[in-house]
Amino acid sequence: MEELFEIAKQIEFNAKAEAQAVYDYTDLIKMLGGIDIEEDKKQEIADSIQEIIADELNHQNKLQSIYTYLTTIEPNKD
């Protein structure tokens, strides 16, 4: 059982890294407003970063599911 919780702990460590990536990518999108390039290029870059963020959010959801599966601890519904 102890090994399962060690794996679950590592899963949460990785979920934290995914959350940090979302935070950092969000800052990148904000920074786009201050650069001097054509608006269509800014939008293209923002769209790409948003796609990356969506992937990171998907990873967070999968990691949470794995954590719940390993520990049987589920998020509260309230």
Side-chain angles (χ1 to χ4, degrees):
M1 183 74 152
E2 187 174 318
E3 290 175 344
L4 283 180
F5 280 102
E6 187 60 37
I7 293 168
K9 187 173 93 174
Q10 292 303 313
I11 293 295
E12 282 300 297
F13 177 84
N14 285 292
K16 180 181 173 184
E18 298 289 349
Q20 182 66 51
V22 169
Y23 179 90
D24 293 339
Y25 290 133
T26 302
D27 275 347
L28 281 176
I29 292 174
K30 287 182 358 186
M31 290 170 28
L32 285 174
I35 63 173
D36 187 26
I37 62 172
E38 298 171 15
E39 286 301 315
D40 62 326
K41 291 187 188 278
K42 279 185 190 182
Q43 189 58 54
E44 185 180 333
I45 294 168
D47 290 346
S48 293
I49 295 171
Q50 288 175 2
E51 182 180 340
I52 293 167
I53 290 171
D55 288 342
E56 301 298 341
L57 293 172
N58 184 39
H59 298 163
Q60 285 178 322
N61 288 336
K62 288 181 179 182
L63 289 166
Q64 182 183 17
S65 293
I66 294 168
Y67 182 90
T68 297
Y69 178 79
L70 290 173
T71 64
T72 70
I73 301 170
E74 295 193 29
N76 287 332
K77 303 295 182 207
D78 336 334

